[in-house]
Amino acid sequence: MPDPPLATSQMALRPFEVRDFEAAQDLSTDPVAARWVPPLPASDGGGVVAFFDACRRAGELLHLVIADVPDDGYLGEVMLAIGEQGVAEIGCGLLPAGRGRGVAVDAVASLTRWAFATLDLGRIQAFVATENHAALRLVERAGFRREGVLRAYWDGENGRLDAVVLSLLPGDRAPFRPPGS
């Protein structure tokens, strides 16, 4: 767990809590996000907390809530799945109330900086459906570089989906992002 917690002027990353369950359900049914966000791993808040804690303890997944500053309310989630060879995969989902403010970019950039400094990773990657333009903008604004397209990578509702693979390496420099952009 990041210590001290990762935060900016508008968001803080913290563990999932039982009180976040209802908002997380809203994210999983949001028309924009539902297609890309995996289902919750349990049918109640306590089960979700236990699942994410067990994954963290096993060193497989760090799943954090993106909380609004100053009220600590749930805005969304960011996760880092730790794989082999010092490679991790990042993902993010945000409720409508958090969109358009740079909150997700701050969350992804904060988590990746911490992960490179703390977890000795050699690469963090993202797989984004070619038609998920918002997610592509997000990871690119956080400094990820496009590497290519994986054809028919995911099985979607209406057939196979292509995915763009993007990566960030420890030595990559994030592009300049003016405050508030």
Side-chain angles (χ1 to χ4, degrees):
M1 211 43 96
D3 185 24
L6 304 174
T8 67
S9 62
Q10 60 181 357
M11 70 90 212
L13 300 181
R14 61 167 172 78
F16 191 96
E17 298 173 358
V18 171
R19 67 184 168 114
D20 298 316
F21 185 74
E22 188 175 317
Q25 284 183 307
D26 290 345
L27 179 64
S28 68
T29 60
D30 174 69
V32 173
R35 187 171 179 197
W36 317 114
V37 175
L40 290 169
S43 60
D44 63 272
V48 174
V49 168
F51 177 85
F52 289 145
D53 189 53
C55 290
R56 180 188 58 80
R57 289 178 187 275
E60 300 167 351
L61 176 72
L62 179 59
H63 184 280
L64 298 169
V65 164
I66 303 168
D68 201 5
V69 170
D71 71 3
D72 197 40
Y74 176 103
L75 290 175
E77 304 173 14
V78 62
M79 68 87 188
L80 192 67
I82 314 293
E84 297 176 352
Q85 305 294 319
V87 175
E89 181 180 343
I90 198 158
C92 183
L94 209 58
L95 287 171
R99 295 180 191 148
R101 301 187 300 168
V103 171
V105 174
D106 286 351
V108 168
S110 296
L111 185 56
T112 56
R113 280 192 304 271
W114 174 84
F116 281 132
T118 307
L119 303 179
D120 196 32
L121 296 175
R123 170 188 173 92
I124 299 176
Q125 57 195 15
F127 297 92
V128 181
T130 54
E131 60 211 62
N132 190 347
H133 303 289
L136 287 169
R137 282 190 309 274
L138 159 62
V139 292
E140 287 179 329
R141 287 181 64 204
F144 284 71
R145 298 180 186 174
R146 289 184 189 221
E147 294 183 336
V149 175
L150 302 172
R151 297 179 311 141
Y153 185 70
W154 281 306
D155 190 18
E157 292 175 0
N158 299 318
R160 305 278 317 165
L161 296 171
D162 294 346
V164 178
V165 61
L166 304 97
S167 70
L168 187 65
L169 305 179
D172 289 347
R173 297 184 65 168
F176 172 73
R177 187 171 68 87
S181 68

